[in-house]
């Protein structure tokens, strides 16, 4: 059975594109046939994060307007074999596409793939409506910040209003040291407020920047902690139960150790 | 001794995530009913004006007037201590 999942957030810059690319890689490496679709028309980025920008000939708008066939526009990622990208148009705007056209496109894609992942643009306007139109399921990405969580709450309401099932949450850019010192909300704090199931947490990590520089998502790298976080989230998406939580260590410096030893600071691990 | 150490290491300052959480809860409730804290203040002032025509209100001491989330629904919760009934004016 194939499934279309939209990755959305409300607030911009919280990691939707990073998440879509990494989950695409993780699911494809796990054996699934996956298409990632960039719905951020006018501001395409997923191609760059995946390192496929030089291979674009046709895009999503070309397919929708009938200028090419779906197969001609899909770019196969040679590093993962079963991963394909459908890029967004760069010189058009979000109104070039309607929700009905998106639904039709997704139906066509679902016939070919196990998973279709949609990278949603920021905001709650036309681009968002297009991106959720054909989705069976939604993943909300947030960071542990007041503004991002507020917007996530709004989006959760809109996803439910669109009659999609209850969305699931990914908390991105978690800093274990700040969580331990009480300067960043932890997953329990966030889940208490948003009250939706958690798929996993991703640490704030330089791997994300380095891999973006190279166009090689962290989920390709077996040594990367960010890659591992996304691979486990991928397994949970496929419905695998009891995927162990990641444990993120932080500061083991002298003062932190002393504080912990005296019982003045909470444990030095964050799991998710 | 422990207290001094605690202060030295900043252990007794309120963690900023508690501020974040409190502000968020407040924001989400107001977002849900689409009523800003400023509008709530204005509503409170108007209601207080009406109430004070009937009873004398303990000015602001212990006055509570807020939105609260109770199993998914938002409720307007208020507690307004009054001192004594004002002599009613027939008008
Ligand atoms: N876990 C992380 N650790 C470090 N940096 C991160 C992490 N996740 C995202 N970033 C950085 O944050 C920035 C925004 O990420 P990304 O483009 O994935 O967000 P987005 O939600 O797709 O943004 P937009 O709303 O503009 O589409 C990027 O520069 C990325 O490198
Ligand atoms: Mg993006």
């Amino acid at each position: 059975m194939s499934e279309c999942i939209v990755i959305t957030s409300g607030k911009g810059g919280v990691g939707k594109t990073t998440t879509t690319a990494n989950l695409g890689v993780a699911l494809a490496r796990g054996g699934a046939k996956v298409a990632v679709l960039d719905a951020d028309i006018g501001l395409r980025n997923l191609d760059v994060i995946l390192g496929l920008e030089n291979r674009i000939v046709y895009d999503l708008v070309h397919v929708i307007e009938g200028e090419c066939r779906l197969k001609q526009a899909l770019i196969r990622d040679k590093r993962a074999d079963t991963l394909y990208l459908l890029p967004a148009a760069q010189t058009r705007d979000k109104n070039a596409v309607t929700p009905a056209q998106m639904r039709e496109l997704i139906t066509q894609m679902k016939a070919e793939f196990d998973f279709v992942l949609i990278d949603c643009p920021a905001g709650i306007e036309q681009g968002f409506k297009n991106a959720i139109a054909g989705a069976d399921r939604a993943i909300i990405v947030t960071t542990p910040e007041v503004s991002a969580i507020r917007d996530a709450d709004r989006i959760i309401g809109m996803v439910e209003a669109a009659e999609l099932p209850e969305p699931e949450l990914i908390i991105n850019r978690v800093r274990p040291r700040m969580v331990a010192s009480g300067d960043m909300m932890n997953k329990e704090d966030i889940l208490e407020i948003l009250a939706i199931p958690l798929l996993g947490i991703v640490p704030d990590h330089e791997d994300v920047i380095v891999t973006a520089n190279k166009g090689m998502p962290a989920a390709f790298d077996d040594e990367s902690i960010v890659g591992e976080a996304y691979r486990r989230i991928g397994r949970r998406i496929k419905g695998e139960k009891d995927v162990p939580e990641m444990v993120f260590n932080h500061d083991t410096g002298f003062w932190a150790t002393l504080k912990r030893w005296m019982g003045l600071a909470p444990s030095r691990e964050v799991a998710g | 001794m422990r207290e001094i150490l605690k202060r030295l290491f900043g252990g007794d300052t309120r963690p900023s995530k508690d501020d974040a959480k409190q502000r968020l809860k407040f924001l989400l409730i107001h977002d849900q009913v689409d009523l800003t804290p400023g509008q709530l203040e204005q509503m409170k002032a108007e209601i207080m004006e009406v109430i004070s025509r009937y009873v004398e209100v303990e000015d602001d001491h212990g006055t509570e007037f807020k939105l609260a989330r109770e199993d998914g629904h938002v409720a307007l919760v208020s507690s307004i201590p009054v001192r004594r009934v004002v002599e009613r004016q027939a008008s």
Side-chain angles (χ1 to χ4, degrees):
Chain A
M1 202 200 76
S2 71
E3 211 172 23
C4 176
I5 307 175
V6 61
I7 287 97
T8 182
S9 68
K11 190 176 184 321
V14 299
K16 295 176 292 296
T17 302
T18 304
T19 296
T20 308
N22 277 285
L23 290 180
V25 171
L27 288 166
R29 289 189 71 200
K33 198 170 177 205
V34 185
V36 290
L37 186 161
D38 190 345
D40 204 344
I41 299 170
L43 289 169
R44 83 169 163 226
N45 268 326
L46 188 54
D47 53 330
V48 187
I49 297 298
L50 283 165
L52 299 174
E53 70 273 19
N54 293 330
R55 296 181 42 207
I56 298 177
V57 180
Y58 298 109
D59 60 49
L60 177 152
V61 176
H62 291 131
V63 177
I64 281 178
E65 292 182 345
E67 286 176 43
C68 70
R69 282 175 296 112
L70 174 61
K71 282 214 166 69
Q72 292 175 285
L74 285 167
I75 299 163
R76 190 174 131 243
D77 190 325
K78 290 168 186 156
R79 300 160 301 186
D81 260 9
T82 56
L83 179 64
Y84 291 76
L85 165 72
L86 182 58
Q90 179 68 339
T91 53
R92 303 290 295 270
D93 72 64
K94 279 151 193 152
N95 303 316
V97 173
T98 68
Q101 289 172 323
M102 281 297 279
R103 265 193 296 274
E104 200 185 308
L105 175 67
I106 304 290
T107 308
Q108 202 184 336
M109 291 177 79
K110 273 166 67 179
E112 307 283 329
F113 295 96
D114 301 320
F115 289 99
V116 178
L117 305 183
I118 301 180
D119 181 15
C120 183
I124 52 175
E125 295 87 17
Q126 181 74 16
F128 167 76
K129 291 184 179 125
N130 285 338
I132 67 164
D136 304 307
R137 183 174 167 186
I139 293 176
I140 314 273
V141 181
T142 190
T143 60
E145 291 165 287
V146 175
S147 52
I149 296 169
R150 180 203 202 174
D151 291 358
D153 184 74
R154 182 96 198 275
I155 290 292
I156 291 168
M158 298 183 82
V159 165
E160 282 166 356
E163 293 182 352
L164 287 173
E166 184 176 45
E168 294 156 294
L169 188 68
I170 292 176
I171 306 171
N172 186 27
R173 309 201 72 159
V174 172
R175 296 196 193 190
R177 187 189 305 203
M178 291 186 75
V179 170
S181 68
D183 276 323
M184 183 175 269
M185 282 182 276
N186 61 32
K187 74 172 184 214
E188 286 79 17
D189 295 323
I190 296 169
L191 293 177
E192 181 190 326
I193 289 167
L194 293 180
I196 57 172
L198 180 71
L199 272 175
I201 70 181
V202 180
D204 188 76
H205 200 282
E206 56 191 44
D207 277 3
V208 174
I209 294 154
V210 175
T211 57
N213 288 342
K214 295 184 185 162
M216 179 92 171
F220 276 122
D221 180 357
D222 291 332
E223 305 297 312
S224 167
I225 180 176
V226 172
E228 184 58 23
Y230 278 118
R231 283 190 294 271
R232 292 194 193 187
I233 292 171
R235 285 160 61 190
R236 294 185 190 116
I237 289 173
K238 283 199 286 188
E240 192 178 323
K241 300 273 177 255
D242 310 317
V243 178
E245 286 190 338
M246 297 276 294
V247 176
F248 306 111
N249 293 314
H250 66 91
D251 205 357
T252 48
F254 174 72
W255 290 111
T257 310
L258 184 62
K259 266 168 91 169
R260 270 194 306 280
W261 177 71
M262 292 191 300
L264 298 176
S267 103
R268 63 192 185 89
E269 290 174 341
V270 170
Chain B
M1 176 64 180
R2 211 184 150 93
E3 271 314 300
I4 295 169
L5 278 171
K6 215 170 170 179
R7 197 155 310 144
L8 204 64
F9 289 107
D12 65 344
T13 51
R14 176 185 154 96
S16 68
K17 72 139 181 176
D18 289 354
D19 293 316
K21 210 170 155 185
Q22 196 192 333
R23 289 175 61 218
L24 247 172
K25 285 184 172 170
F26 188 75
L27 255 173
L28 294 191
I29 288 176
H30 282 274
D31 282 354
Q32 191 175 339
V33 289
D34 198 15
L35 190 72
T36 67
Q39 289 166 333
L40 186 69
E41 261 319 295
Q42 202 175 326
M43 178 165 121
K44 175 184 169 184
E46 285 173 32
I47 290 175
M48 294 299 266
E49 196 190 304
V50 174
I51 292 175
S52 57
R53 277 189 232 146
Y54 294 85
V55 290
E56 191 176 320
V57 178
E58 296 234 23
D59 47 7
D60 265 10
H61 289 295
T63 306
E64 196 186 51
F65 199 87
K66 62 174 190 193
L67 295 175
R69 221 196 283 232
E70 284 168 6
D71 34 72
H73 298 281
V74 175
L76 177 62
V77 179
S78 72
S79 163
I80 304 164
V82 292
R83 202 173 275 140
R84 63 176 171 79
V85 175
V86 183
E87 207 175 301
R88 298 231 178 129
Q89 293 163 353
S91 62

